[in-house]
């Protein structure tokens, strides 16, 4: 246990903590707050996953030279999903669809 | 989560939320940050409620989540916590006592390093033995002793904390 000399801090901590007023929270309010926070965490996780995928796709595009502007030594700032997923040959842009 | 589990979760939170909020307040030194921290902890506990319920000591499990979440918060957002010379304490300022002991206690706690503060709160507020504190903090008992000793040395440097007026004011408030 704690040394006797250190015991003086114990009541001060209790007293400082007891200054916090805890409001009673209803069951529905509690569940709603928890679900809202979970939803926010999922959105944040989804955003982070999207950023990672975009970064990985960008790296792939640079390494393989696919997409517009993918020359060695240059960083392609934007990645065209159309170019990356089309059957166009590497280094070429897909021809626009003509109706 | 089924209806019964949800009810158990609600009962647990209703019983423990106050304690968690107070502990979080001592750890972060700000009421709003403490509420945010507790909400995050409760959301995590909600997701893992089947594990919490199955554990031998649910309170210890939740306390561990609180400590780890607080550590993660510091890792992610180091600039989120702003220390000021005068902590706002609306009730005491209104009563004409801006030098309230509670502010001094919190200010002194915030002057400690995060690990020192965690060790102090777990040792002297939760009244946990050194071995339990070491397990919660993921360090050795020796490290806990070092953190505690250094923290106490630093807290002793605050003469306001050990002045008789502080204790008197504290007792008066408690008696009210």
């Amino acid at each position: 246990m704690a040394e006797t000399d250190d015991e003086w801090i114990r009541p001060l901590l209790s007293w400082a903590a007891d200054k916090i007023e805890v409001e009673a929270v209803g069951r529905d309010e509690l569940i709603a707050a928890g679900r809202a926070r979970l939803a926010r965490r999922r959105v944040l996780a989804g955003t982070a996953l999207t950023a990672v995928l975009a970064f990985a796709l960008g790296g792939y595009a640079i390494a393989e030279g696919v997409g517009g502007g993918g020359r060695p030594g240059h960083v392609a700032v934007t990645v065209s999903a159309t170019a990356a997923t089309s059957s166009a040959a590497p280094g070429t842009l897909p021809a626009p669809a003509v109706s | 989560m089924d209806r019964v589990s949800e009810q158990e979760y609600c009962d647990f939170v209703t019983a423990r939320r106050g304690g968690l909020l107070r502990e979080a307040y001592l750890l972060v030194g700000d009421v709003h940050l403490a509420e945010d921290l507790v909400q995050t902890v409760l959301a995590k506990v909600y997701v893992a409620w089947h594990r919490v319920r199955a554990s031998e000591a649910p309170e210890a499990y939740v306390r561990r989540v609180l400590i780890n979440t607080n550590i993660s918060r510091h890792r992610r957002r180091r600039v989120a916590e702003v220390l000021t010379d005068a902590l706002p304490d609306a009730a005491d300022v209104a009563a004409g006592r801006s030098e309230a002991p509670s502010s001094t206690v919190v200010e002194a706690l915030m002057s400690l390093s995060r690990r020192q503060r965690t060790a102090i709160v777990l040792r002297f507020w939760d009244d946990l033995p050194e071995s339990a504190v070491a397990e919660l903090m993921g360090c050795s008992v020796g490290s806990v002793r070092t953190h505690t000793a250094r923290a106490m040395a630093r807290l002793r440097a605050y003469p306001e904390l050990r002045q008789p007026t502080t204790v008197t004011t504290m007792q008066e408030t408690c008696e009210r």
Side-chain angles (χ1 to χ4, degrees):
Chain A
M1 297 306 286
E3 290 175 31
T4 315
D5 284 354
D6 297 338
E7 291 297 316
W8 59 272
I9 194 69
R10 206 182 287 272
L12 286 176
L13 289 178
S14 298
W15 186 69
D18 287 345
K19 297 279 282 183
I20 302 298
E21 290 178 11
V22 182
E23 293 173 9
V25 180
R27 182 181 183 281
D28 294 338
E29 200 180 340
L30 194 65
I31 297 291
R35 284 185 178 151
R37 185 162 291 264
L38 279 178
R40 208 179 316 154
R41 281 178 62 193
R42 284 190 188 118
V43 169
L44 286 175
T47 307
L49 183 64
T50 307
V52 169
L53 284 174
F55 186 77
L57 190 59
Y60 167 77
I62 292 168
E64 296 293 321
V66 297
R71 286 188 295 158
H74 289 242
V75 176
V77 177
T78 57
V79 178
S80 165
T82 311
T85 55
S86 73
S87 58
T92 62
L93 288 172
V98 180
S99 59
Chain B
M1 188 185 281
D2 59 53
R3 206 76 184 151
V4 177
S5 297
E6 201 163 275
Q7 187 57 51
E8 284 176 353
Y9 169 80
C10 288
D11 292 343
F12 179 84
V13 171
T14 306
R16 285 290 298 141
R17 187 169 164 272
L20 283 172
L21 193 58
R22 291 188 175 104
E23 183 159 2
Y25 174 64
L26 292 177
L27 288 171
V28 301
D30 179 274
V31 179
H32 302 293
L33 278 178
E35 283 177 353
D36 200 45
L37 178 60
V38 169
Q39 279 294 329
T40 306
V41 169
L42 293 180
K44 287 182 177 179
V45 169
Y46 182 83
V47 173
W49 181 244
H50 61 285
R51 282 203 299 274
V52 179
R53 200 168 55 152
S55 68
E56 289 179 6
E59 293 203 6
Y61 190 107
V62 175
R63 191 182 288 125
R64 183 189 292 272
V65 175
L66 177 71
I67 300 296
N68 290 340
T69 306
N70 187 41
I71 290 169
S72 307
R73 188 183 67 87
H74 273 268
R75 283 188 189 135
R76 278 201 312 272
R77 298 180 294 179
R78 285 176 187 276
V79 294
E81 188 171 301
V82 180
L83 300 180
T84 60
D85 290 336
L87 290 175
D89 195 330
D92 288 318
V93 170
R97 287 185 280 117
S98 58
E99 293 300 318
S102 71
S103 295
T104 311
V105 174
V106 173
E107 190 182 332
L109 277 177
M110 291 305 113
S111 74
L112 304 176
S113 74
R114 180 176 43 81
R115 293 185 75 77
Q116 287 173 353
R117 199 185 317 146
T118 306
I120 288 293
V121 171
L122 291 175
R123 283 289 284 123
F124 297 104
W125 196 72
D126 281 316
D127 202 17
L128 294 177
E130 284 171 341
S131 56
V133 176
E135 197 185 331
L136 274 169
M137 291 178 65
C139 63
S140 67
V141 172
S143 293
V144 171
R145 282 186 192 140
T146 305
H147 287 313
T148 308
R150 286 181 183 163
M152 289 308 299
R154 197 154 189 170
L155 291 174
R156 278 191 207 98
Y158 279 79
E160 306 97 301
L161 291 183
R162 305 202 71 170
Q163 277 175 0
T165 50
T166 303
V167 180
T168 309
T169 313
M170 192 179 78
Q171 284 169 347
E172 282 172 3
T173 313
C174 290
E175 283 165 10
R176 252 184 264 145

